[in-house]
Every structure is written in C-alpha cells, then in structure tokens.
Amino acid sequence: MTIKNFIHHFRQAVKGLEEDFTNISIKKAIFYLSIPMILEMVMESLFAVVDIFFVGKLGVHAVATVGLTESVLTIIYSIAIGLSMAATAIVARRIGEKKPKEASAAAFQAILVCSLFAVAVAVLGVIYAKPMLALMGGEPDVIEQGYRYTQVIFGGNVCVMLLFLINGIFRGAGNAAVAMRTLWIANGFNIVLDPILIFGFGPIPAMGLEGAAWATTTGRGIGVIYQFYILFNGKSIIKFYWDSLKMNWKTVLTIIKVASGGMGQFLIESASWIFLMRIISESGSVALAGYTIAVRLIIFALLPAFGLSNAAATLVGQNLGALQPGRAEKSAWLAAHLTAIFLGFCAIIFIAGAGFFIGIFNQEEGVIAVGTMGLTIICLGYVFFGYGMVMSQSLNGAGDTKTPTIINLAILWGFQIPFAYLLAKTFGLGATGVFIAIAVSHSLHAVVSTLVFKRGKWKLVQV
C-alpha cells in the first residue's frame, strides 16, 4: 500500500463510511474497524494518564484514593462491560443477517437495563463511600480526604456505564467511527476540565480531588448526550424507531443471558484486581501509589490494543451472522498477530524507560521504585497479553461469553490470587510478588484462551 493509498483509507476509516464488513477483504475490514477503535482507545489511554498526572500533584493520598475507588468501580463497570459485550454480539449478528431494525430494538433494551442498574449503584455508592474505602484497606487520612471523590464518581456512574454500553452497540454495528468521536468528545472535555476543577481557574474555586471526579462525570455525560443525538437523528445504521422504544422481555432475557457471561468475566477479573490491591495496600500508601501509576501506564498501552480486539469481536459476530465462520476465524487471527506486535513494541519502550515514565507522575523515591518494578515485570508478558485479549474478545463476539468466564475463574482466581499471596506474603516479596503473579497468570490466560479458540466450538453459538 502506498502512502497516498494509506492516507486515503485512513481518512475513510476515521470518517466512518458504512461498509459491508462481511464482503470486503479481511485486511481492509480490520483496518476500517480498528483505526477508529484504536484512536478511540488512545484517547481513553491519554485521559487515564493525564488524569493521574494532575491527581499526582495532590499527593500520595489522592493517588491512593483513586486506586482504591477504581478497584471497586471495576466491579460495577463489569456489569456495563458485560452488557456492552452482549449488545455488541447481538447487534453484530443482526447486522450480519441484514436486520438493522432488530439490531436497533435490541440496543434500546440494553440501554434500559443498564440505566436501571446504574441508578441503584449511584444511590448505594453515595451513601457507603467511606465504608467502601475502609473495606479496601484505605488509611484514615486517605478516606477522609478522598471520600467525596468516591461519592461523585459513584453518583455519576450512569454516564460512564452508558458510554461503555452505547459505544459497544455502535461497534457491533460497524459504526466504530461514531464510538471514536464519542470518546474523543467525552475525554476531550475531561482533559480540559481536570486542571480547571482540581486547581481552580479565575472565579472557579479549586476543588482538589473532588474536581477530578466532577471533570470525569461532566465530560462523559456530554459524551452520552452526543450518543443519544446520533441514535435519535436517524443518520446511523443503528437508530431508534419510536415504535420499538418499549420493553421487550424476550430480547431483555437474551441480552441478560449473553451478558451474564461477560459480566462474570469482568467481575472475576475485577475481583482479582481488588484482592491484589488489598495485598499491596498492606504495604502502605506509597506502594499503593506506585502500583496505581504503573497500572495506569499499563492500561495506556492495553487500551489501544483493545481497539484491535474489539474489531475482531465485531468481525466475528457479523461474519457468523452472514454464515461465514471461516472468514470470522481468519479475522480473529490476523487481529491477534497485529495486537501482539503492537504490545511487544510497547513493552520494549516501557521496560527501557520505566523509571522515567513513573517519575513523570510522582517524584517520591518509594513511589518510583515500586512503579518501576511493576511496569518492568508486567510488560514482560505483553506479547502474550495481545493474543489473550483478541482470543477472548473473539469468543465474546461470537456470543460465547461462558467459555472466557470459566477461563477467567480458573486462572485469575484459582491461580493468580493464591500465587500473588504466596509470593507477596509467604516469600515476603510484597508488591514485587504481586507484579510477578500478574505477568505469569495473564500469560497463562493467553495460552489457554488461544487453545480454546482453536477448537472452534464458538462457531456453533446462537444468539
């Protein structure tokens, strides 16, 4: 491909022209889907790093609060991610079957279920913010200084959950460019509002850590407004028809059935991260801050890689709907190879400059030492992570969310948590032991997921 052709196709991908991804070449389909998905996740990665950069200026306790809050939030967001995975699989299958109106009706049911759940979470999160931080092992100063941040984040969780879900709907339909623009709008506002609300600007008072929470909630709320504008203006393949805006219990039950596996996967993974966070919290706020910064940097590279994984999920779902399982499998393998290459390149950069990258966010010697160790060790498994991510998402895109759930349960709970505890507590390695357990367990997860995918039973799943 010449540079001129690459630029042309890149513009087409970003513009978001609708294509029949079950008929064009697999390379072109992955390119058209993955470019906007990668750009979408690059902005998410950028926000995660920018956010912790500003929060890091508020001190170790502020960073620790963010780490503890996000550990609990990952459980809540697992529900949204599970629903998003179900919506992606079902919408992709209906689009592959050339049934856009049924795809749109399924999207509405998913949004309705997600909204009801988010409201319940908001109430509980605001009321029990302090006990939640205490349960996670937060020190008294951390809880007192940070509980308002936790309240605002939980109170506005509906914005984040709907952002996840509706973007999953657009991806399933092949409208990856719409999902990209949504996240760029949302996180663009986040990045601008972060320093203004944290440190103050003109008549706007400095709100500290609470300001970071309001920036996130406001920015993502604006993103959700944009999503609904697209859904109601009728210019997208997924659009709301007034006669379909009603509860359809059959569709709801199908969504919940498929989503339960996705929820299970991420609930298991999220709970494992909470256990790991709990182990590290016993080493104090400095270790916790180093871990939090290292994980943010790890996510910085993993999120763009998820763009390729999401492209694979969409192509698997749509091609199964079009009765082309062989094409679905080829799409997944190509995406997996590309993801592994990308993460291998990122690993080299992170390992070479680990201390420098951690030091950007916090200058305390202890924080840098812990963060550097974590970034270096976890990145050793990055190439394996790439295959694991794509294989799992491909199974999810086929509607087989049960198998990845079983794999997560066996490896992340059955192996990772005991292994981390053994290394950290029994052998006295502390945070280093946790980092080793993460690298080893996720590499093992990738091997198992790849072997299961090769068996091909996912091709027979009906949704």
Side-chain angles (χ1 to χ4, degrees), residues 21 24-36 308 311-312 315 330-335 338:
F21 295 109
I24 63 175
S25 74
I26 294 176
K27 289 182 179 179
K28 187 177 180 181
I30 289 179
F31 186 86
Y32 273 30
L33 280 173
S34 64
I35 288 299
L308 279 162
L315 289 174
K330 290 179 182 178
S331 300
W333 279 113
L334 180 55
L338 293 172

Side-chain angles (χ1 to χ4, degrees), residues 72-389:
V72 179
L73 276 174
T74 51
I75 287 186
I76 307 303
Y77 293 162
S78 294
I79 309 301
I81 292 171
L83 286 169
S84 176
M85 288 164 53
T88 296
I90 294 172
V91 168
R93 191 68 68 94
R94 298 292 89 80
I95 293 298
E97 294 168 350
K98 307 298 186 290
K99 298 177 180 177
K101 193 166 185 176
E102 291 185 17
S104 299
F108 175 74
Q109 308 305 316
I111 291 171
L112 192 60
V113 172
C114 184
S115 299
L116 293 174
F117 177 79
V119 170
V121 168
V123 174
L124 294 174
V126 171
I127 295 174
Y128 296 107
K130 284 187 176 182
M132 193 184 309
L133 290 174
L135 183 64
M136 285 299 300
E139 299 173 353
D141 288 345
V142 171
I143 296 173
E144 195 56 40
Q145 293 179 27
Y147 80 94
R148 285 289 298 160
Y149 169 87
T150 304
Q151 285 183 323
V152 175
I153 287 293
F154 269 87
N157 84 93
V158 63
C159 298
V160 182
M161 293 185 73
L162 285 178
L163 198 73
F164 284 160
L165 173 66
I166 301 175
N167 267 3
I169 290 168
F170 286 134
R171 292 190 205 102
N175 283 342
V178 175
M180 175 196 70
R181 285 194 289 271
T182 296
L183 214 57
W184 276 71
I185 290 171
N187 285 345
F189 275 98
N190 285 352
I191 291 171
V192 172
L193 290 174
D194 242 348
I196 293 175
L197 298 184
I198 291 174
F199 305 112
F201 182 78
I204 301 175
M207 301 173 67
L209 184 59
E210 185 181 340
W214 281 114
T216 296
T217 301
T218 302
R220 302 204 169 189
I222 292 171
V224 172
I225 291 172
Y226 173 74
Q227 289 175 323
F228 276 107
Y229 166 75
I230 296 296
L231 288 172
F232 278 103
N233 76 358
K235 294 181 180 179
S236 170
I237 191 171
I238 293 293
K239 53 190 175 184
F240 283 162
Y241 303 85
W242 290 107
D243 61 339
S244 65
L245 300 185
K246 55 187 177 182
M247 180 71 79
N248 183 319
W249 285 107
K250 182 179 179 180
T251 304
V252 168
L253 291 175
T254 300
I255 290 171
I256 292 176
K257 179 182 177 181
V258 178
S260 61
M263 293 176 194
Q265 288 174 49
F266 284 91
L267 282 171
I268 291 166
E269 186 169 357
S270 301
S272 70
W273 281 105
I274 286 181
F275 278 114
L276 299 179
M277 179 72 77
R278 187 67 179 82
I279 293 171
I280 290 178
S281 69
E282 294 183 9
S283 298
S285 294
V286 171
L288 194 57
Y291 170 83
T292 299
I293 293 172
V295 169
R296 281 294 182 101
L297 286 169
I298 292 295
I299 292 173
F300 179 76
L302 287 181
L303 284 177
F306 267 115
L308 279 162
S309 300
N310 289 332
T314 297
L315 289 174
V316 166
Q318 290 197 7
N319 281 297
L320 287 179
L323 302 179
Q324 299 185 70
R327 181 182 168 89
E329 185 171 9
K330 290 179 182 178
S331 300
W333 279 113
L334 180 55
H337 297 327
L338 293 172
T339 305
I341 292 171
F342 169 75
L343 287 180
F345 178 73
C346 292
I348 294 172
I349 294 175
F350 277 156
I351 292 173
F356 168 76
F357 290 121
I358 299 296
I360 293 174
F361 303 95
N362 193 287
Q363 293 296 318
E364 288 199 29
E365 187 175 337
V367 173
I368 293 176
V370 173
T372 298
M373 183 63 69
L375 193 58
T376 301
I377 293 173
I378 294 175
C379 281
L380 292 175
Y382 249 20
V383 172
F384 287 96
F385 285 25
Y387 283 99
M389 289 165 57

